[in-house]
């Protein structure tokens, strides 16, 4: 679908936790996946399917038991050292002792940007997520949705090649969630970042993605990859488009098939 | 901002915040006055002898009388307490920082520190008197230092280690080194833990200094004054000294509280919002 | 075959478990050994250089002679010699008796103090007026030096025909109640507002909310406080003994052996070790109770 070189290329990645112990878990098995520049790829699946593990493998926060992850042609560890990743978690994970502005500047401080540069970039990012008037507030003074926007601003502040998002809107209410999805697409459109996004919400996956990767559990595997060819820019009307519902159904049935497929491998370790 | 998203702001008017705080203090002030009156009344009505329970009015008069003896004694003891507190906290923080760097060492040291922390350290006072000299203030400082050292070290190690795993992962995704993790995450995270130990330590250090003076000390010391007067059943004098001791302990505590507010404004406001 | 493999793996896993469990014990022993080595090394250094810091003229901060720092071995040996010339009992027996005597005072003070501390916590959680009125004094009470109030309490106790050790228990209780009050209050307030609302929806009385929700939620907090209180009660008992003139107990032993320090410094060191042991054993007793009563996931500060 894309003639460019992949940004992320996962080759036969397998991750086993507690190898040799009685509590051995095969979280991810033989995963092959390529993600291309500017794509928005969502990982979806039942809990325990290893989608978060896969995201952490890409980000080199854990190392695969076998197989490998290449990012921009480099080993994932090198990519982390080159600061190619921006991470957003389910909890905003803002530091209590820093103001919103200082939270956004955290990666910039760590990466040795000059003071002026930091201020400029943080201001730009806060404008992007529409929080410039809250720059000097502390995180706990903001609502959950606003905190998550700060986390996104922080992740984008150093213009990473890839944005890794682990159920970032999972703790938000439905209304806020839909608005945040729209804002995320907006930001994504403006920054040309590649996004890899973990969720367990089918409508969220369909609404956001260019491709949805459906995973099945025990062991975590890729069950199917579904192209979402809905037109962009997407908006509130997208959710009412009949094609949106077609894709929803497709993903849902695929998830169910992955679920029932599990029964064949039950007892197999 | 959109109307559905609420924000929590600091109290608008500083004045109203002060008034609120004053209103909170009212029951305590009322109780103090009531308690003093009741105390005075009970002593008069039941004709309790002065050596059993002196009247507050007598203690007040004795305090005025003994002011020039009790105050310098208090300052002398306060110096021991503050000196010991400073030594103990610097060592406690230093060793916590040093051991937190190596998980293995801190895992080994912690059970030992917790065990020592559950011993009556004050029992070492006679040894310190022998080592450093009864009249040398350092013999008291060393006891105070030991008393505050362990809680401070234990709490700091806990604070340095009990960081949010997500916050740690975030920094790792920036490919940071351990030093940055320490500076940007572990140390700010440990500050509330540290200050709760410092607050406990502030009052403990005054008490520790006074009690260790019981095992011997110069006549200028408050602990020596208290134990001598109490042994002679001069309880009004002893109580004047107790008042000085309480005043010093509370003042020291409040000082640490002020420093805490200056160092961690975020934490203070956060707690206020949670209440 | 696969069964064997399984049991082998289990054995390996439990072996790892034992190693993990024993690691703190090893670390503990290592530290004790290192400390003994430092102690004896310091003495040897002092003996070699004539109490000077090596290569300088400065005196060592602590004299290294046997009076200031007896050999570890001598302290140990002193336990098995009569404490007084011509006395019957060896030091070990005397110190064990003293420790048990002090522990009785501490244990009574611990129980009384914990009950009072708990009651105050319950009262404060139900009445803001009580809390605002009394809390400052609960905090201030811990800045009062015990030594000063001990003689008074002993006199009051004697008027009420209490044994002196009972008065010492009161002093011990005075130190014990504070951590329990603070943590009880914190623990009683720890349940989610929704959990309280749930009880309300059952039309539960305040009493039921207290015993079915707040107290169970507060238990881990209370037990944590009890660990602090156990030490505090021992400190209270030892310090309370000092000015109150009880003839037995570790506080008395400390004073006695302090007076006769020059003739037998090991005895003072041995009594300090016993005071330390008493504190550690009392706290470990509470830890054992905590392990039985509080499930691992609900324990605090671990």
């Amino acid at each position: 679908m894309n003639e460019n070189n992949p940004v992320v290329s996962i080759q036969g990645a397998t991750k086993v936790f507690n190898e040799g112990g009685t509590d051995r878990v095969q979280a991810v098995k033989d995963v092959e996946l390529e993600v291309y520049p500017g794509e928005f790829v969502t990982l979806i699946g039942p809990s325990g399917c290893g989608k978060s593990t896969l995201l952490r493998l890409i980000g080199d926060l854990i190392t695969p038991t076998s197989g490998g992850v290449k990012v921009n042609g480099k080993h994932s560890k090198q990519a982390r050292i080159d600061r190619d990743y921006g991470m957003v978690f389910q909890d905003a994970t803002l530091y209590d002792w820093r103001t919103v502005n200082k939270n956004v500047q955290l990666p910039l401080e760590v990466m040795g940007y000059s003071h002026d540069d930091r201020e400029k970039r943080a201001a730009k990012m806060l404008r992007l997520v529409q929080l410039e008037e809250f720059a000097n507030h502390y995180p706990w003074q903001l609502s959950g949705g606003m905190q998550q926007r700060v986390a996104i601003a922080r992740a984008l502040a150093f213009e990473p090649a890839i944005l890794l998002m682990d159920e970032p809107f999972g703790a938000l209410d439905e209304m806020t969630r839909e608005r945040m999805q729209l804002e995320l697409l907006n930001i994504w459109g403006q920054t040309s970042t590649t996004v890899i996004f973990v969720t367990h919400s089918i409508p969220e996956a369909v609404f956001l993605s260019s491709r949805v990767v459906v995973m099945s559990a025990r062991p975590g595997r890729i069950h199917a990859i579904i192209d979402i060819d809905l037109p962009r820019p997407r908006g509130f009307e997208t959710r009412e488009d009949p094609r949106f519902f077609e894709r929803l159904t497709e993903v849902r049935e695929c998830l169910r098939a992955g679920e029932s497929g599990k029964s064949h491998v039950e007892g197999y370790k | 901002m959109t109307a559905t998203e609420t924000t929590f702001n600091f109290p608008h008017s500083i004045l109203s915040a002060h008034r609120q705080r004053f209103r909170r203090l009212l029951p305590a002030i009322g109780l103090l006055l009531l308690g003093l009156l009741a105390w005075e009344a009970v002593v008069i009505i039941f004709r309790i002898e002065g050596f059993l329970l002196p009247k507050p009015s007598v203690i007040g008069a004795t305090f005025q009388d003994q002011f020039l003896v009790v105050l310098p004694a208090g300052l002398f003891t306060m110096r021991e307490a503050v000196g010991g507190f400073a030594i103990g906290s610097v060592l406690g923080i230093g060793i916590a920082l040093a051991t937190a760097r190596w998980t293995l060492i801190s895992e080994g040291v912690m059970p030992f520190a917790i065990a020592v922390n559950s011993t009556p350290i004050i029992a070492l006072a006679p040894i310190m008197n022998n080592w450093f000299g009864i009249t040398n203030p350092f013999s008291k400082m060393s006891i105070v230092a030991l008393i505050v050292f362990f809680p401070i070290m234990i709490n700091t190690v806990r604070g340095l280690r009990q960081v949010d795993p997500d916050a740690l992962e975030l920094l790792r995704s920036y490919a940071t080194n351990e030093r940055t993790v320490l500076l940007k995450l572990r140390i700010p995270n440990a500050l509330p833990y540290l200050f709760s130990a410092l607050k406990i330590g502030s009052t403990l250090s005054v008490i520790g200094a006074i009690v260790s003076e019981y095992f011997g000390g110069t006549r200028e010391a408050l602990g020596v004054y208290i134990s001598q007067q109490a042994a002679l059943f001069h309880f009004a004098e002893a109580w004047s000294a107790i008042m000085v001791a309480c005043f010093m302990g509370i003042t020291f505590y409040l000082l640490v509280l002020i420093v805490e507010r200056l160092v961690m404004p975020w934490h203070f406001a956060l707690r206020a919002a949670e209440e | 075959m696969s069964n064997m493999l399984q049991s082998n793996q289990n054995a390996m896993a439990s072996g790892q478990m034992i190693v993990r469990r024993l690691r703190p014990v090893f670390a503990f022993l290592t530290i004790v050994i290192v400390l003994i080595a430092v102690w004896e090394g310091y003495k040897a250094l002092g003996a070699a250089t004539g109490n000077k810091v090596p290569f300088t003229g400065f005196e060592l901060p602590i004299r290294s002679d046997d009076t200031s720092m007896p050999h570890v071995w001598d302290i140990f040996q002193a336990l098995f010699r009569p404490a007084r010339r011509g006395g019957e009992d060896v030091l070990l027996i005397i110190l064990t008796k003293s420790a048990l005597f002090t522990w009785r005072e501490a244990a009574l003070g611990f129980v009384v103090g914990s009950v009072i501390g708990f009651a105050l916590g319950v009262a404060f959680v139900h009445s803001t007026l009580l809390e605002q009125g009394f809390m400052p004094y609960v905090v201030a009470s811990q800045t009062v030096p015990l030594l000063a109030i001990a003689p008074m309490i002993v006199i009051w106790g004697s008027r009420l025909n209490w044994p002196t050790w009972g008065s010492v228990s009161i002093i011990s209780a005075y130190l014990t109640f504070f951590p329990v009050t603070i943590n009880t209050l914190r623990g009683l307030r720890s349940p989610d507002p929704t959990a309280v609302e749930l009880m309300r929806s059952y039309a539960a009385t305040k009493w039921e909310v207290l015993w079915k929700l707040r107290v169970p939620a507060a238990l881990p907090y209370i037990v944590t406080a009890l660990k602090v209180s156990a030490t505090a009660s021992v400190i209270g008992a030892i310090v309370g003994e000092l000015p109150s003139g009880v003839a037995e107990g570790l506080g008395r032993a400390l004073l006695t052996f302090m007076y006769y320090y020059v003739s037998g410094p090991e005895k003072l060191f041995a009594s300090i070790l016993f005071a330390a042991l008493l504190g550690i054993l009392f706290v470990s007793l509470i830890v054992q109770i905590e392990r039985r009563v509080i499930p691992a996931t609900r324990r605090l500060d671990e």
Side-chain angles (χ1 to χ4, degrees), chain A residues 167-183:
Chain A
E167 296 187 34
F169 308 145
L172 304 181
D173 64 86
E174 193 65 25
M175 302 276 288
T176 314
R177 195 173 179 152
E178 289 192 355
R179 205 171 46 243
M180 291 291 293
Q181 290 165 1
L182 209 59
E183 277 185 41

Side-chain angles (χ1 to χ4, degrees), chain B residues 1 3 23 30 56 65 70 81 90 109 116 119 148 151 160 167 191-192 205 258:
Chain B
M1 228 357 57
R23 202 168 293 156
D65 205 42
V70 179
V90 167
V109 169
V116 176
T119 66
V148 300
L160 289 172
L191 283 178
S205 64
I258 290 171

Side-chain angles (χ1 to χ4, degrees), chain B residues 113-192:
Chain B
I114 290 169
V116 176
N117 196 34
S118 57
T119 66
I121 288 172
I122 192 73
L124 284 172
I127 300 287
M128 296 301 155
N129 281 344
N130 177 271
W131 281 0
F132 303 112
I134 282 190
T135 52
N136 183 351
F138 188 75
S139 61
K140 287 16 170 220
M141 281 186 204
S142 55
I143 282 292
V144 173
L146 278 173
I147 289 176
V148 300
F149 169 83
F150 287 98
I152 288 176
M153 188 212 129
I154 291 169
N155 263 29
T156 310
V157 168
R158 281 197 182 130
L160 289 172
R161 295 183 61 191
Q162 286 176 1
V163 293
D164 177 6
D166 277 350
L168 201 58
E169 250 186 2
L170 180 76
L171 281 183
R172 286 200 46 207
S173 80
Y174 303 151
T176 49
N177 52 21
E178 263 306 310
R179 205 180 132 261
T180 314
V181 174
L182 188 70
L183 286 178
K184 303 272 178 204
L185 177 59
R186 292 193 189 277
I187 289 179
N189 190 67
L191 283 178

